[in-house]
Structures are given as C-alpha cells and as structure tokens.
Amino acid sequence: MAIRAGLAAGWLSRRLGLGAGVIIGGRVTLALAPSALSRLAAGRLVVLVSGTNGKTTTSHLLAAALRTAGRVAHNASGANMADGAVAALAADPDAPVAVLEIDELHLAAVAAAVDPAVVVLLNLSRDQLDRGCEVRAVAAAVGGALAAHPRTVTVANADDPMVVWAATQSPRPSTVWVSTRGRWNGDATSCPRCGTTLHGNGDRWRCRCGLARPAPHWEASEAAAVTRDGLVIPVGLRLPGRFNLGNAVTAMAAAELLGVDPRRAAAAMSLLPDVAGRYAVVTYRERELRLLLAKNPAGWAEILGVLDEARPLLVVVNAREADGRDTSWLWDVPFDEIAGRRVVAAGEHAADVGVRLTYAEIEHDTVADPLAGLALLPTGVVDVVANYTAFHQLRRRLTAETAGGEPTK
C-alpha cells in the first residue's frame, strides 16, 4: 500500500507539472513504511555510486553496462537520497540488480538499509559548504559507512587522498583501485590521516605516515581503459572530457565485478549521447546550446577543459536547498581561464557570479533571466554552464519553448 501511494503521489506530481515526482513519491512511501528501502532492496544485488562529482554520469554508464546482462533498477533522475532510491526500486520491483547514486552524506544510512555488494567511491571535495562541512569530516563519515560493511567490495579512486583514506580505514576483502587521471587532490594537500604535508609529483602522492597512492588495477589513458595486466580496452564515449573517461573506466571496473565483460561494457557506454540532459545540444532561437553542469570548484575545473575558447558562454547559478545556500565556492573557481570569451552571468544569484567575474577581470553582462541572457549572446553555438537547480530549471524552460508552449519561470 505504501508503494502504491508513493507511485500515485509521483504520478500526481507529474500530472500537475510540479516535478518529476520521484522525490515526493519516495517520501510518501517512506512516511507510510519506514522500512520500505530495506524491503525493496531485499534479494537484489545493489551497487551504490557515491562521491562529490560524477555520481549521475557514472551511475548511468554503469547501468548501461549492466543492462547488457539483464534488467537494472536505477535512480536515473539523480534523486540521490533515500527517497530517490525507494522510488527507483519501487518503479522496477522485478529488476534483480540496482544501481543507485547516493549523496556521500547519506551513504551510511542507505548502505545500512540495502547491504550493497559494491560501493563505487569517485572523489571527495568541497561542495555545499553550508551542508557538507569540511571535506575530511565527509571522508571520515564515508570511511565509517564502508567499515560497517566489511564484505562489500569497494571500487575507489586511487588518485584522491581523501578517497584512499576513507577506503582504507578498515580491513576489506578487496578494493579495486582506479586511476581516473583527474585533478582530485586539490582538497588534500595535507594528509587526511595525520595532517602533515603530502609529498610527490602529480598523482604519485605519499605521506610519511604510510598513507600513499595505491597501485591502480585500472587506469584511464588516451581514450582507453588499461588494466594492471596490460589489457587495453578502447572507450569510445560520446560524452566529452577527460573526467568522463575516468567515470567510464570506473564504471567498467564495477561492471566486471558483476560479471560483465569490459569490452561489452565499453560498447554499451559508447551509445549514451548525454546523461540526464548533461552534454545535450539544444536548438533555441538561432542558437545551438551545449548544456553543461558544474556545481562546485572541482566540477568547474574539469568543465573548463571542455569549453570551446571561441564560443560565447552563459553561466547560470542558483542557491536553493539542492545547490547549497552558500555561494562562496565561486571564489575558488579559476574563472580567469575563460578570459577572451563573450560571457553573460545569469540565474537567481547572477549578481554573485557577476562580482566574481569582475574580480577575475572578465568582461560580462549580468541578467537574472537565463533566456534574456541568451538574447545578449551572438547566434550560433553557445556553451551553457549551470549548477544543479539552475540546470534543470533552464532545461524545463527550453523544453517548454521548443515544444511551442510558453516558457515557465
């Protein structure tokens, strides 16, 4: 009855145009049956994907790989707390496998309910400072969640000192280490274990206390995955950026643990044109918009590598509950790297972005309405970078307008 009530609440939310209905559906189910998550997960093989950046993309890639072997329940909308997990499992009750992306601060509670076979741990960096607190504290919480499940296999980022510390806080049967070749040590210049300065060049970091980068079993390298025994598997992604190659190799490592051949996994992942609208190209009033999402300094550092220097840029930032109310993270983004472009700052916190761009000496215009901001940019191809709620809000408005309706606010 609780599941049916949740599904009905979700349907009503969609019918009334209030949203996708995922979160409200899951919340209704949990309110009526607090044990719903553990009961829905019982008998399934569950994989949890967690970390600060890349959860949605990696879970989509992993789900695509695992679907080559059968049905997979997946919280594809990105609702990554307990309510989103409940909604995903309720929507596909007969799927024997579930891939659930989970917010790192909710990992312990969800893992306690579903007893995961595999946890994929991507990276840990600054995000939503008003909610997520200091990065080391988040890493400690993640480490505690893993320690409570000693039989769970972890697929972890060997390049991130915070992830390595979290994954090695308790003995484990096995940890599969992946080198994503990403820049994930910016929030760990000091050792998370002992506090002294880390040493090494690039990703070859180490500390005198003994914490050091593990030798990876998998490595992202030049559009391919390379295993420890020298096997090279081409990864022909349609998704842009070095960071997405790292996400794909991580997903391949997890898929192999669950019996999917890495080559078959790579082939399935290569078919994804976008992920929940991210990296999609949308035509709007003589402009071709490439939609990108970046919600924190580490995410922006990766996105900067895929921006085209010749394209105008629209930056859209909100600060709602799902984004984090604190916008001080903007000051840690190297906006000086977008110098020379035509730039417009938009969103509910366009003024905050505008101030930051002014201090970076980036010429720009500031306007709250993203569609009005687009009108200030030249026709042709435009890069659009938005944070979480701004991204989904803009997608809905573009969808409404291109469908012939009135764009919503």
Side-chain angles (χ1 to χ4, degrees), residues 44-324:
R44 306 201 209 204
L45 192 154
V46 179
V47 182
L48 303 182
V49 179
S50 193
T52 308
N53 290 286
K55 295 185 292 292
T56 300
T57 299
T58 303
S59 66
H60 274 258
L61 292 167
L62 178 55
L66 294 178
R67 285 194 180 103
T68 64
R71 289 174 62 177
V72 177
H74 174 216
N75 53 343
S77 70
N80 58 22
M81 299 179 190
D83 42 24
V86 165
L89 296 175
D92 199 347
D94 298 322
V97 177
V99 175
L100 303 174
E101 72 155 285
I102 300 298
D103 179 272
E104 55 273 24
L105 292 177
H106 291 256
L107 179 62
V110 173
V114 306
D115 190 21
V118 177
V119 169
V120 177
L121 191 52
L122 298 168
N123 49 76
L124 295 170
S125 62
R126 287 161 290 170
D127 186 40
Q128 297 192 20
L129 299 180
D130 56 330
R131 181 183 73 93
C133 65
E134 188 265 336
V135 182
R136 188 184 181 280
V138 177
V142 170
L146 297 177
H149 298 272
R151 293 181 299 173
T152 297
V153 179
T154 304
V155 178
N157 183 354
D159 300 330
D160 187 337
M162 289 292 180
V163 166
V164 174
W165 179 61
T168 56
Q169 288 185 52
S170 63
R172 314 198 63 73
S174 62
T175 297
V176 178
W177 297 107
V178 180
S179 174
T180 64
R181 295 296 184 184
R183 296 178 286 183
W184 298 117
N185 57 1
D187 287 302
T189 55
S190 62
C191 176
R193 176 191 287 172
C194 71
T196 59
T197 302
L198 291 173
H199 300 284
N201 297 318
D203 56 11
R204 304 291 178 177
W205 57 267
R206 58 182 174 79
C207 179
R208 65 188 183 190
C209 74
L211 188 71
R213 177 182 181 266
H217 301 86
W218 292 76
E219 190 168 353
S221 177
E222 299 298 330
V226 181
T227 66
R228 182 178 288 181
D229 59 10
L231 179 64
V232 179
I233 305 165
V235 183
L237 287 182
R238 298 170 66 179
L239 307 180
R242 178 185 59 184
F243 57 96
N244 277 326
L245 175 63
N247 291 335
V249 175
T250 304
M252 290 170 65
E256 187 186 45
L257 288 174
L258 303 180
V260 175
D261 180 81
R263 292 183 180 83
R264 187 169 64 179
M269 293 187 296
S270 71
L271 300 177
L272 288 180
D274 60 75
V275 172
R278 305 172 195 197
Y279 320 111
V281 176
V282 177
T283 300
Y284 171 77
R285 295 190 179 179
E286 300 183 358
R287 293 169 182 85
E288 193 172 85
L289 312 179
R290 184 171 61 154
L291 305 181
L292 304 166
L293 186 147
K295 59 180 183 175
N296 52 41
W300 260 98
E302 297 297 335
I303 285 293
L304 285 169
V306 303
L307 297 180
D308 191 313
E309 295 182 0
R311 293 177 183 172
L313 174 65
L314 178 72
V315 180
V316 194
V317 171
N318 289 348
R320 301 185 181 186
E321 180 183 1
D323 307 301

